[in-house]
């Protein structure tokens, strides 16, 4: 039986050659852009090109960041505003996943199901949240539920579409392989369809999180008393431009961090996504 | 000892489509290694899909000693050309898949999987991800995964088609030993005449238009490897070369009959 032993050593995969080292200066360009914008902004504020009411200096924004963090703005600290917003977005995300994943699976696996849900999803997907916000207030009032619903409605379509795409693209050979190994229908769903579709679902969740986060300010227009969107709104009413800019900066930075977090989760939990 | 019968089977993809296979009859014993050769488009893969139960015959039936095949089942495990492994599972988990479906307790499962992995000489790679393995290794995982189902028949669709020549030759030797040890009947689809002659106990030639079996030849070259001859000695033996040329003529001849 020496033949079998021989095989192992022969076809070991070889590692790709490393890319030649050396620093890629072009990678610094984005940093330069950020630096240029902040410099221009400082100059505009310090030289008085623009009135301080309209454009406070970067330093003033940093100062207000410290102040809002420590003593708060509109009865809440920056962290409390941030947590209120994150709580709404993640609450809406959880609700969307619970609803959207099964709907996506139904759309992919049944023509009737597709007929039922497709028009709803396709109508809802391009709709700006501000358009249906008033209707939701009329129906559900100005409580927390309305805010979560507005964010959730923006999040569901990308998850539904991604889930449907993932379920549709399950490899026929893999399904057949599992069936010829004795898998029942429910085992197929759990052990083959779900893991095959998972990378696509996670991508959908990443897109949804972005969509939800950008709906946040609209949702917090609705009689909120805490949240980043609320903070921006109420600061704007008495020209607290520094707090407005602070709020925008925090929303932008958190959005980038959420994206990075999702990508890390993707690599950690669906490492096979690039190998399907 | 079981026999898988493909009994006067005709298959077409739709009522208006021309049949892919017409009136095919083929029986495979669970002690046989049957290789089906033929040009691409001769319906080889459809034949395997019918035996596996992925397709249903339009006419005729597939049965195991009278028991009609209604769909895929673990008694007829399949090895695919592009391995069809589950990339979300490690090599070990892929091999254990059939046992997990059956609900076999973990300790027993782990013992069986370790045995199978050792058998295909992959014990050292058991916990690697599928994409870390080479083509030959993947196919061995696929074969071990199929064997774990303890099948009566192993249906293989061009399992070595994507491998380089040297790996392919080693895998052929491996397949022969495996067949001898496993006690399962093998149906191998291949486009390589040499591979068919070297491995099989019977070579079946499928010809296109009309798609039918034109030859069913018993062969014994594989037995010589199991008795200690080398692949090279067997494949360069004048008897092997002559058989290969005859078979080749037979396949090429079909093209002119159309």
């Amino acid at each position: 039986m020496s033949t079998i032993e021989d095989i192992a050593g022969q076809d070991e995969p070889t590692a790709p050659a490393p890319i030649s080292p050396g620093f890629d200066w072009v990678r610094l360009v984005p940093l330069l852009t950020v630096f240029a914008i902040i410099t221009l902004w400082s100059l505009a504020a310090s030289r008085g090109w623009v009135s301080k009411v309209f454009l406070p200096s970067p330093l003033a924004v940093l100062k207000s960041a410290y102040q809002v963090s420590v003593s708060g703005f509109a009865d809440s600290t920056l962290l409390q505003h941030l947590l209120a917003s994150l709580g709404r977005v993640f609450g809406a995300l959880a609700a969307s996943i619970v609803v959207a994943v099964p709907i996506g699976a139904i759309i992919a696996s049944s023509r009737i199901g597709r007929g039922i849900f497709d028009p709803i999803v396709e109508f809802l997907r391009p709709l700006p949240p501000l358009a249906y916000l008033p209707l939701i207030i009329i129906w559900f009032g100005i409580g927390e539920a309305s805010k979560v619903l507005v964010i959730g409605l923006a999040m569901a379509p990308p998850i539904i579409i991604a889930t449907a795409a993932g379920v549709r693209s399950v490899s026929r050979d893999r399904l057949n392989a599992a069936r010829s190994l004795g898998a029942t229908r429910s085992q197929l769903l759990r052990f083959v369809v779900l893991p095959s579709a998972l990378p696509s679902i996670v991508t959908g969740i990443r897109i949804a999180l972005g969509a939800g986060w950008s709906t946040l300010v609209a949702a917090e227009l609705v009689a909120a008393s805490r949240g980043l969107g609320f903070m921006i709104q109420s600061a704007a009413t008495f020209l607290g431009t520094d707090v407005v800019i602070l709020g925008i900066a925090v929303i932008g930075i958190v959005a980038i961090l959420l994206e990075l977090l999702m990508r890390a989760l993707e690599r950690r939990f669906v490492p096979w996504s690039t190998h399907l | 000892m079981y026999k898988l019968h493909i009994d006067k089977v005709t298959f077409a993809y739709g009522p208006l489509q021309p049949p892919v296979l017409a009136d095919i009859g083929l029986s495979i014993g669970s002690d046989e290694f049957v290789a089906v050769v033929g040009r691409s488009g001769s319906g080889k893969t459809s034949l395997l899909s019918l035996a596996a139960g992925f397709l249903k015959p339009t006419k005729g039936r597939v049965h195991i000693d009278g028991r009609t095949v209604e769909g895929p089942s673990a008694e007829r495990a399949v090895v695919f050309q592009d391995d069809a492994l589950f990339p979300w599972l490690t090599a070990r988990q892929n091999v254990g898949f059939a046992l997990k479906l059956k609900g076999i307790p973990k300790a027993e499962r782990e013992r069986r999987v370790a045995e199978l992995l050792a058998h295909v000489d992959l014990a050292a790679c058991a916990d690697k991800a599928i994409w870390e393995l080479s083509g030959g290794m993947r196919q061995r995982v696929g074969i071990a995964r199929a064997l774990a189902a303890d099948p009566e028949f192993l249906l293989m669709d061009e399992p070595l088609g994507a491998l380089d020549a040297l790996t392919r030759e080693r895998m052929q030797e491996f397949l022969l030993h495996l067949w001898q040890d496993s006690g399962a009947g093998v149906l191998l689809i291949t486009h390589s005449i040499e591979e068919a002659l070297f491995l099989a106990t019977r070579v079946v030639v499928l010809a296109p238009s009309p798609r039918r079996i034109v030859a069913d030849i018993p062969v014994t070259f594989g037995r010589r490897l199991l008795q200690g001859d080398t692949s090279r000695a067997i494949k360069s033996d004048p008897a092997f070369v002559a058989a290969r040329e005859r078979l080749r003529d037979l396949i090429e001849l079909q093209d002119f009959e159309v």
Side-chain angles (χ1 to χ4, degrees):
Chain A
M1 293 286 282
S2 69
T3 50
I4 297 175
E5 275 79 9
D6 288 347
I7 297 166
Q10 293 293 327
D11 55 353
E12 214 78 46
T14 49
I19 298 159
S20 65
F23 192 75
D24 184 7
W25 295 100
V26 180
R27 286 174 61 182
L28 287 181
V29 172
L31 279 178
L32 284 175
T33 308
V34 174
F35 182 74
I37 288 172
I38 292 177
T39 309
L40 206 63
W41 173 13
S42 311
L43 281 175
S46 62
R47 298 285 165 91
W49 294 345
V50 184
S51 154
K52 276 197 174 119
V53 180
F54 296 129
L55 189 68
S57 69
L59 207 64
V61 173
L62 275 181
K63 256 186 218 155
S64 78
Y66 175 76
Q67 216 147 49
V68 177
S69 301
V70 174
S71 49
F73 178 85
D75 300 330
S76 304
T77 65
L78 184 59
L79 187 66
Q80 286 171 321
H81 285 302
L82 175 63
L83 289 179
S85 293
L86 282 175
R88 283 178 193 126
V89 169
F90 278 99
L93 179 67
S96 310
I97 291 173
V98 169
V99 175
V101 169
I103 292 179
I106 291 169
I107 287 178
S109 47
S110 134
R111 281 187 59 209
I112 296 175
R114 185 179 181 162
I116 294 171
F117 290 112
D118 233 17
I120 304 175
V121 174
E122 288 306 320
F123 181 74
L124 203 58
R125 194 173 56 87
L127 219 54
L130 275 174
Y132 49 75
L133 183 62
L135 186 64
I136 286 173
I137 297 172
I138 294 170
W139 285 355
F140 300 101
I142 54 171
E144 199 61 26
S146 290
K147 298 181 198 67
V148 174
L149 189 62
V150 170
I151 300 172
L153 279 174
M155 285 177 145
I159 302 179
I160 292 174
I161 292 166
T163 304
V167 171
R168 257 197 297 271
S169 66
V170 178
S171 138
R172 176 150 297 276
D173 270 359
R174 287 203 187 106
L175 282 176
N176 276 339
R179 287 164 76 208
S180 79
L181 293 169
T184 60
R185 264 187 79 88
S186 64
Q187 284 175 327
L188 273 187
L189 201 64
R190 197 171 136 209
F191 295 130
V192 183
V193 177
L194 185 66
S196 288
L198 205 54
S200 184
I201 295 174
V202 172
T203 304
I205 290 174
R206 182 157 57 78
I207 295 166
L209 206 52
W213 192 243
S214 60
T215 309
L216 184 73
V217 178
E220 287 176 350
L221 282 174
V222 190
S225 59
R226 203 174 260 181
L228 292 171
F230 159 75
M231 189 180 89
I232 293 175
Q233 287 301 323
S234 58
T237 50
F238 41 89
L239 283 182
T241 318
D242 49 347
V243 177
V244 172
I245 294 178
L246 171 68
I248 293 170
V250 172
I251 288 179
I253 290 165
V254 170
I256 294 171
L257 291 178
L258 286 178
E259 174 81 15
L260 290 178
L261 174 76
M262 281 306 293
R263 283 182 191 275
L265 288 178
E266 225 168 328
R267 274 195 301 274
R268 171 77 182 73
F269 289 105
V270 286
W272 64 88
S273 59
T274 48
H275 303 278
L276 273 174
Chain B
M1 162 77 181
Y2 296 88
K3 238 176 160 62
L4 174 65
H5 299 271
I6 295 166
D7 199 356
K8 296 198 178 85
V9 164
T10 296
F11 176 76
Y13 279 99
L16 300 173
Q17 305 277 331
V20 177
L21 295 165
D23 208 22
I24 294 282
L26 179 65
S27 294
I28 304 154
S30 57
D31 59 344
E32 284 189 289
F33 193 130
V34 175
V36 176
V37 290
R39 308 206 136 218
S40 32
S42 58
K44 301 189 299 277
T45 295
S46 302
L47 187 69
L48 181 126
S49 299
L50 285 160
F54 301 150
L55 298 175
K56 287 211 163 70
T58 312
K59 266 196 297 199
R61 75 176 178 136
V62 179
H63 63 94
I64 293 177
D65 295 332
R67 205 157 30 81
T68 301
V69 163
E70 303 283 4
S73 140
E75 66 179 356
R76 286 163 281 114
V78 180
V79 177
F80 295 82
Q81 175 167 18
D82 63 342
D83 70 53
L85 295 174
F86 307 123
W88 49 89
L89 303 177
T90 61
R92 184 196 300 281
Q93 291 166 326
N94 265 283
V95 174
F97 192 78
L99 304 173
K100 193 176 172 191
L101 294 180
K102 266 197 241 170
I104 286 170
K106 201 171 175 210
E108 160 85 10
R109 204 162 76 207
E110 277 173 359
R111 195 183 56 74
R112 283 274 292 140
V113 170
E115 233 172 68
L116 283 160
L117 280 167
H119 196 59
V120 296
D121 203 36
L122 281 174
C125 308
D127 293 306
K128 282 199 174 167
I130 294 310
W131 60 86
E132 294 174 301
L133 304 177
S134 68
M137 291 164 147
R138 283 166 172 236
Q139 276 308 2
R140 279 181 285 150
V141 174
I143 291 163
R145 180 179 71 172
L147 288 176
D150 201 14
E152 268 118 44
F153 294 94
L154 202 52
L155 313 176
M156 299 197 273
D157 189 2
E158 296 269 10
L160 313 184
L163 304 181
D164 64 89
L166 272 179
T167 310
R168 187 166 184 154
E169 190 161 277
R170 286 169 187 284
M171 284 292 289
Q172 287 173 352
E173 296 171 358
F174 163 73
L175 275 185
L176 257 179
H177 288 294
L178 188 101
W179 166 69
Q180 190 187 34
D181 299 343
S182 72
V186 172
L187 174 65
L188 172 78
I189 305 293
T190 176
H191 58 242
S192 161
I193 297 166
E194 193 180 80
E195 184 167 290
L197 274 176
F198 180 64
L199 292 177
T201 55
R202 263 166 71 207
V203 176
V204 170
V205 179
L206 211 56
S209 53
R211 281 132 174 174
R212 64 196 198 285
I213 290 172
V214 291
D216 191 336
I217 308 157
V219 279
T220 54
F221 298 107
R223 199 173 301 159
R224 286 173 50 185
L225 184 93
L226 298 176
Q227 285 162 356
D229 258 2
T230 64
S231 301
R232 288 177 78 173
I234 299 166
K235 287 181 182 174
S236 53
D237 184 318
F240 186 89
V241 175
R244 192 183 68 201
E245 293 308 305
R246 262 202 322 279
L247 207 52
R248 198 183 152 151
D249 284 343
L250 193 63
I251 292 172
E252 287 197 341
L253 202 64
Q254 304 309 318
D255 291 338
F256 298 107
E257 272 185 10
V258 180

